[in-house]
Amino acid sequence: QDHNWSVCEDGSLRILKIQNNNLRGSFPDELSLLTTLTVLDLEENSVSGTIPRFLGDFEDLQVLNLDRNEFTGTIPLEFSQLSLLQHLSLSVNGLTGEIPSKIGGMQGLVHFDVSRNTLHGSVPSTIGQLKRLQRLHISHNFLSGDLPTTVGELASLTEWEAENNFLKGPLPRQFGQLTELVHLTIWNNTLTGRIPSEIGLLRNLERLELDLNYLTGTIPAEIGECSNLRELVLYGNGLSGTIPATLGF
């Protein structure tokens, strides 16, 4: 049985946090009245249907967390209008379609998580416009295509999780520009080519997981310059040569 939703209609509600309940059914149209919301958190419920486009009209919205529900359909293009949005989490749903190229319009975005859906298509090059982005989680989807070179413009990025997709092509040398990066996990994809020597510029990197790809060539000696590296996982590739002495072995 669906739980009833009640809505405050006087325009005063700013924060709506109803996560970790047993809410079911789809978004009621009445929620479109809550245009003053800054936080909407429905994580860990059983809300279903498509994500309503009217959320794109919530100009003050800063946090939207719909993780772990039963949403289907595509990511609304209207989200690109949310210039103040900092946190967008849509993981563990049944979303389809592509990551919209209009994502570049969400200039305030700090956290973007669409992991564990059934998204396809490529990572849009416009993602490089998100100068404030710190956490990019797109793992466990059906994403394909080459990694865009514009990733090098994500100067604030600390975490990129893209494992379990069908991403192909080489690792862009522009990864070396991500000097704030701490975690980079792109295992179980179809990456090819060599590990770029520019990876050694990532002095804050603690975890690098590139296992189960089709990488070739040698392990670059420059990787030993990642002075904070704690976890290096490269198994299941076609790497050759010797283990770099710079790793300290």
Side-chain angles (χ1 to χ4, degrees), residues 6 30 39 48 64 77 104 111 119 153 156-157 174 205 249:
S6 59
E30 289 78 8
V39 175
S48 58
L64 177 59
L77 297 178
H111 176 97
L119 299 174
E153 300 171 22
S156 302
L157 199 66
Q174 288 81 358
L205 194 64
F249 290 101

Side-chain angles (χ1 to χ4, degrees), residues 62-91:
Q62 298 175 27
V63 175
L64 177 59
N65 187 356
L66 305 180
D67 286 348
R68 298 181 182 277
N69 278 280
E70 298 175 6
F71 289 109
T72 55
T74 59
I75 300 172
L77 297 178
E78 289 78 7
F79 281 1
S80 63
Q81 303 165 189
L82 300 174
S83 58
L84 298 182
L85 192 65
Q86 299 176 26
H87 183 110
L88 177 57
S89 287
L90 308 174
S91 69

Side-chain angles (χ1 to χ4, degrees), residues 85-186:
L85 192 65
Q86 299 176 26
H87 183 110
L88 177 57
S89 287
L90 308 174
S91 69
V92 196
N93 280 285
L95 299 177
T96 57
E98 302 184 0
I99 298 174
S101 61
K102 287 187 175 182
I103 190 177
M106 303 168 70
Q107 297 292 314
L109 208 57
V110 174
H111 176 97
F112 180 64
D113 188 353
V114 292
S115 57
R116 297 185 183 276
N117 282 284
T118 54
L119 299 174
H120 62 267
S122 59
V123 180
S125 61
T126 51
I127 208 160
Q129 299 173 23
L130 304 178
K131 308 301 183 186
R132 298 183 59 192
L133 193 65
Q134 295 178 14
R135 295 176 295 278
L136 175 58
H137 298 172
I138 58 174
S139 62
H140 300 275
N141 280 286
F142 296 94
L143 298 171
S144 58
D146 291 358
L147 294 171
T149 58
T150 52
V151 299
E153 300 171 22
L154 299 173
S156 302
L157 199 66
T158 61
E159 297 177 10
W160 188 352
E161 298 179 358
E163 63 268 19
N164 260 332
N165 280 290
F166 296 93
L167 299 170
K168 66 181 184 65
L171 283 169
R173 296 184 179 278
Q174 288 81 358
F175 267 115
Q177 301 170 24
L178 305 179
T179 54
E180 299 299 317
L181 201 60
V182 177
H183 296 158
L184 177 60
T185 57
I186 319 182

Side-chain angles (χ1 to χ4, degrees), residues 52-65:
R53 295 179 176 180
F54 63 68
L55 291 176
D57 297 327
F58 288 17
E59 297 178 351
D60 297 326
L61 199 61
Q62 298 175 27
V63 175
L64 177 59
N65 187 356

Side-chain angles (χ1 to χ4, degrees), residues 12-72:
S12 62
L13 193 64
R14 305 286 289 175
I15 297 174
L16 179 57
K17 301 179 72 172
I18 46 179
Q19 67 270 32
N20 298 100
N21 282 289
N22 296 306
L23 297 174
R24 298 184 180 277
S26 59
F27 258 94
D29 292 339
E30 289 78 8
L31 276 183
S32 64
L33 302 172
L34 303 180
T35 55
T36 58
L37 281 181
T38 60
V39 175
L40 176 57
D41 192 342
L42 300 181
E43 182 179 4
E44 199 78 54
N45 280 286
S46 298
V47 184
S48 58
T50 58
I51 299 175
R53 295 179 176 180
F54 63 68
L55 291 176
D57 297 327
F58 288 17
E59 297 178 351
D60 297 326
L61 199 61
Q62 298 175 27
V63 175
L64 177 59
N65 187 356
L66 305 180
D67 286 348
R68 298 181 182 277
N69 278 280
E70 298 175 6
F71 289 109
T72 55

